[in-house]
């Protein structure tokens, strides 16, 4: 088994009160969670800033590539998917009169860190800092619970804290949700991590259903606010991901524009087996806040139970919205699936 596979998943630093200096990411934090994706070799870090023992007042995040060596060193450098650029100077965050915290910049864009494990205590030791396996609840509350801020968006929040009035955020900077009411086939999109699982079986060619589905998908993706991440997977006999987009895509990004431009090339053929596509959607890291599951056909009888199994792997349950597209769709099962997972069911003529 590759070294990285043994360390895959989320880890939370347990000594951040005494070891919170900058390394590959900013220092001065009160909380640090890292997520290792063994499939891509990508390394995600989420750091919260605030007073020790208190909830973080803000988070910053980064994405890197990690290469673990058997000699106990880990090379952490620029992501091969989505490189992160942090601020080059200190940021001071006032919390109350006479009370502030200071965010310090990373030491370098790429670092060579030491790593080891403590199997007795179940720890990962990275550059001298100790991390323990994080539960799904911890991982999801950190990753989803606060908008991760960098660059101008971070400056804007600091300015608000100092003056009480928002500063101007430059175009293209990450931003918090605008609260825009974006819908997909009449159901409001509420999550920050949203997966679309779309039927592309042969029957979708009838009456222009595939073209209508793609148009609605492109419209919804284009309207998502900047703090949203989305993932798209199609299904017929198996799962079909859009080439080059097997992971979360940031809304309002160049990658989002590219995926919208290539969706029209998705064809329709084959049968109706959504299980592999649903597995990929639930397998995203972080897990989806919600899934939009759309089909026009009759599904295998065990799909409802299979979704319960997939969603039951985490205490942070994913909301599942379902869309029955056309008169031949299995409305009874789709309605039941939405009810199982706190979602909404829609029937589209």
């Amino acid at each position: 088994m590759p070294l990285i596979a043994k360390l895959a998943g989320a880890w939370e630093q347990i000594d951040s009160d005494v070891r919170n200096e900058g390394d590959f990411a900013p220092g001065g934090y009160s909380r640090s969670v890292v997520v290792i994706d063994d499939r891509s070799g990508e390394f995600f870090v989420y750091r919260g800033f605030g007073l020790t023992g208190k909830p973080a007042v803000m988070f910053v995040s980064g994405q890197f590539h990690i290469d673990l060596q058997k000699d106990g060193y880990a090379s952490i450098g620029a992501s091969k998917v989505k490189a992160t650029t942090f601020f080059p100077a200190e940021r001071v965050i006032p919390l109350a009169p006479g009370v502030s915290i200071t965010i310090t910049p990373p030491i370098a864009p790429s670092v060579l860190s030491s790593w080891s494990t403590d199997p007795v205590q179940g720890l990962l030791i990275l550059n001298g800092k100790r991390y323990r396996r994080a539960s799904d609840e911890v991982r999801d509350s950190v990753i989803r619970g606060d908008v991760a801020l960098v660059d101008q968006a971070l400056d804007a929040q600091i300015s608000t804290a100092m003056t009480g009035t928002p500063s101007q955020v430059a175009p293209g900077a990450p931003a918090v949700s605008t609260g825009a009411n974006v819908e997909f086939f009449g159901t409001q999109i509420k999550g920050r991590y949203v997966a679309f699982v779309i039927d592309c079986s042969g029957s979708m060619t009838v009456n222009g259903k595939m073209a209508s589905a793609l148009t609605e998908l492109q419209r919804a993706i284009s309207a998502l606010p900047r703090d949203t991440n989305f993932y798209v997977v199609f299904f017929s006999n198996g799962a079909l991901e859009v080439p080059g987009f097997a992971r979360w895509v940031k809304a309002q990004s160049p990658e989002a524009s590219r995926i919208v431009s290539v969706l029209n090339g998705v064809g329709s053929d084959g049968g109706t087996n959504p299980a592999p596509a649903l597995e990929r959607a639930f397998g995203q890291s972080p897990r989806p806040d919600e899934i939009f599951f759309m089909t026009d056909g009759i599904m295998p009888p065990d799909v409802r139970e299979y979704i319960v199994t997939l969603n039951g792997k985490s205490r942070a349950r994913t909301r599942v919205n379902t869309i029955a597209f056309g008169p031949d769709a299995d409305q009874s099962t789709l309605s039941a699936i939405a009810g199982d997972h706190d979602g909404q069911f829609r029937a589209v003529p």
Side-chain angles (χ1 to χ4, degrees):
M1 177 185 295
L3 292 174
I4 193 171
K6 298 179 181 179
L7 303 179
W11 300 80
E12 181 167 17
Q13 189 178 340
I14 61 174
D15 53 6
S16 57
D17 54 335
V18 294
R19 294 294 311 275
N20 67 349
E21 67 274 9
D23 39 35
F24 41 83
Y29 53 88
S30 58
R31 191 176 190 187
S32 179
V33 175
V34 299
V35 180
I36 299 174
D37 183 356
D38 61 317
R39 295 172 297 177
S40 64
E42 294 293 286
F43 177 77
F44 306 85
V45 58
Y46 299 84
R47 287 193 169 162
F49 293 83
L51 298 178
T52 301
K54 303 288 185 180
V57 298
M58 66 175 63
F59 279 83
V60 298
S61 68
Q63 182 170 344
F64 307 88
H65 191 82
I66 186 168
D67 183 17
L68 297 175
Q69 304 295 327
K70 292 183 178 179
D71 59 7
Y73 288 96
S75 176
I76 301 174
S79 165
K80 296 183 179 180
V81 179
K82 185 179 180 183
T84 299
T85 301
F86 289 113
F87 43 82
E90 289 185 350
R91 298 290 199 275
V92 177
I93 305 173
L95 301 180
V99 180
S100 65
I101 57 175
T102 300
I103 304 178
T104 60
I107 59 173
S110 300
V111 297
L112 185 64
S113 298
S114 60
W115 78 275
S116 61
T117 59
D118 183 336
V120 176
Q121 299 188 59
L123 300 179
L124 166 65
I125 304 169
L126 187 61
N127 215 28
K129 300 175 182 180
R130 300 184 300 155
Y131 292 81
R132 178 171 287 131
R133 285 280 185 190
S135 67
D136 286 342
E137 292 173 294
V138 169
R139 181 197 65 184
D140 292 342
S141 67
V142 171
I143 295 173
R144 297 177 183 162
D146 295 84
V147 177
L149 299 170
V150 296
D151 301 329
Q152 294 98 331
L154 180 59
D155 289 333
Q157 182 153 330
I158 294 172
S159 175
T160 299
M162 294 176 66
T163 66
T165 57
S167 65
Q168 193 69 29
V169 178
V176 298
S177 174
T178 61
N181 185 5
V182 181
E183 295 181 346
F184 182 66
F185 282 113
T187 298
Q188 185 176 359
I189 299 173
K190 300 177 181 179
R192 285 185 54 219
Y193 289 86
V194 184
F196 299 91
V197 180
I198 308 297
D199 191 342
C200 67
S201 60
S203 59
M204 287 290 290
T205 61
V206 178
N207 297 326
K209 285 182 287 187
M210 193 66 196
S212 296
L214 292 175
T215 297
E216 176 66 2
L217 181 60
Q218 290 167 315
R219 184 206 59 77
I221 288 174
S222 298
L224 291 173
R226 289 176 181 165
D227 65 327
T228 309
N229 299 267
F230 67 90
Y231 167 73
V232 179
V233 60
F234 297 88
F235 66 89
S236 56
N237 295 329
L240 172 65
E241 292 174 321
V242 182
F245 296 97
R247 302 289 182 269
W248 292 117
V249 177
K250 192 77 170 177
Q252 303 293 328
S253 67
E255 291 84 1
S257 297
R258 285 197 292 272
I259 193 172
V260 166
S261 69
V262 302
L263 282 176
N264 283 332
V266 177
S268 50
D269 190 22
T272 306
N273 178 17
L278 288 164
E279 183 176 357
R280 294 194 189 189
F282 276 103
Q284 290 295 307
S285 180
R287 289 168 59 89
D289 292 318
E290 62 182 343
I291 288 174
F292 286 83
F293 173 34
M294 193 206 78
T295 183
D296 75 332
I298 304 298
M299 297 172 292
D302 60 348
V303 167
R304 181 182 176 187
E305 182 179 349
Y306 186 58
I307 295 176
V308 170
T309 300
L310 291 172
N311 211 4
K313 291 181 178 179
S314 171
R315 295 179 184 177
R317 285 169 51 84
T318 297
R319 184 169 56 253
V320 181
N321 304 297
T322 57
I323 300 102
F325 203 1
D328 297 326
D330 189 349
Q331 294 193 20
S332 176
T333 299
L334 289 169
S335 178
I337 290 170
D340 290 340
H341 305 279
D342 303 318
Q344 293 190 43
F345 165 73
R346 295 282 181 176
V348 178

